[in-house]
Amino acid sequence: NFGRDMDTGFEKKDLVFINIRDSVIRKQLAVFQQDLKNIKGVLDVSTTNDTPESGINEFSFELENADGEFILTSSQSMDVGLDFIETMQMQLLAGRVFKESDSGFKGLIINRFLAEKLGYTPEKAIGTRLRFPNGEDIDRSVIGVIENIVMGSATVPQQSLTLGFDEQNRMAFLVVRVDEDNQQEVLMA
């Protein structure tokens, strides 16, 4: 019961992850998402390259700390689609969720753990600049801070997490939030 009852930082109940293996569906993901949204009982749909419980990729970037210095930081990372925060029912502590103009990782959402690690409150982390170590000259910044979530095993200590909005080309999973009263019908559709 420990794993089932613990606060994961997102609402697991009524959430379905669908592994997208079909290349035809991957190429038409936006259409498929819209089709899913039209099914009675589907409340929300988004995409991700990974699931919080499967273990997440890690990457390094330079992030501005509270002293204005850029420091090399590593973080767990997920590429996500629009509406991911809402579909997962994550708690947004400060800032905003993704919009189309954030595509290409121009705007990132970090967790509270990473904000505090850099010396920020969630509110003060908004607007923090970041850059990739490859020397790209693209303006990137933190647009939101979410509450910490459990990634992988519940026994692993909290880690930094960075969410970036990407177009559909690298997504491996559809994330579907279904209405509790219509679960069976949705899964049969």
Side-chain angles (χ1 to χ4, degrees):
N1 286 345
F2 170 73
R4 219 174 344 164
D5 297 334
M6 75 173 296
D7 182 8
T8 59
F10 59 93
E11 183 56 55
K12 292 191 306 186
K13 188 173 186 242
D14 306 322
L15 196 61
V16 178
F17 287 88
I18 302 170
N19 193 335
I20 312 164
R21 295 186 178 169
D22 189 304
S23 62
V24 174
I25 291 176
R26 276 185 185 235
K27 289 177 183 171
Q28 297 293 319
L29 198 51
V31 173
F32 190 66
Q33 272 184 267
Q34 192 55 51
D35 287 348
L36 280 174
K37 287 180 181 181
N38 292 332
I39 296 173
K40 180 184 177 192
V42 171
L43 303 175
D44 244 330
V45 180
S46 190
T47 54
T48 180
N49 70 326
D50 218 334
T51 66
E53 295 170 335
S54 67
I56 300 173
N57 298 321
E58 186 169 313
F59 83 111
S60 295
F61 55 95
E62 294 175 339
L63 195 56
E64 188 177 29
N65 69 11
D67 295 326
E69 301 167 333
F70 281 90
I71 58 169
L72 189 61
T73 304
S74 65
S75 175
Q76 301 293 311
S77 169
M78 290 177 71
D79 301 345
V80 301
L82 287 176
D83 303 324
F84 183 78
I85 302 294
E86 299 91 333
T87 302
M88 296 288 290
Q89 295 181 0
M90 294 176 165
Q91 183 182 359
L92 184 68
L93 301 176
R96 63 173 175 80
V97 296
F98 293 113
K99 58 186 181 183
E100 290 286 344
S101 61
D102 296 319
S103 183
F105 308 102
K106 292 181 189 91
L108 297 177
I109 295 176
I110 64 174
N111 67 347
R112 180 174 47 86
F113 181 88
L114 180 53
E116 291 173 353
K117 179 178 168 183
L118 295 166
Y120 295 110
T121 64
E123 295 79 16
K124 295 282 187 189
I126 305 304
T128 299
R129 297 175 299 154
L130 63 121
R131 59 187 180 208
F132 295 132
N134 63 4
E136 283 183 344
D137 190 22
I138 297 174
D139 287 334
R140 302 176 195 278
S141 63
V142 173
I143 61 163
V145 177
I146 58 170
E147 184 55 82
N148 297 329
I149 68 168
V150 173
M151 300 174 292
S153 169
T155 60
V156 174
Q158 184 61 55
Q159 300 175 36
S160 300
L161 175 64
T162 306
L163 303 178
F165 168 54
D166 192 20
E167 296 299 329
Q168 309 298 339
N169 59 346
R170 298 192 313 195
M171 300 306 177
F173 294 92
L174 279 164
V175 186
V176 183
R177 169 119 2 235
V178 298
D179 179 17
E180 179 178 15
D181 297 333
N182 294 314
Q183 262 187 11
Q184 192 64 30
E185 293 85 0
V186 169
L187 295 176
M188 296 303 285

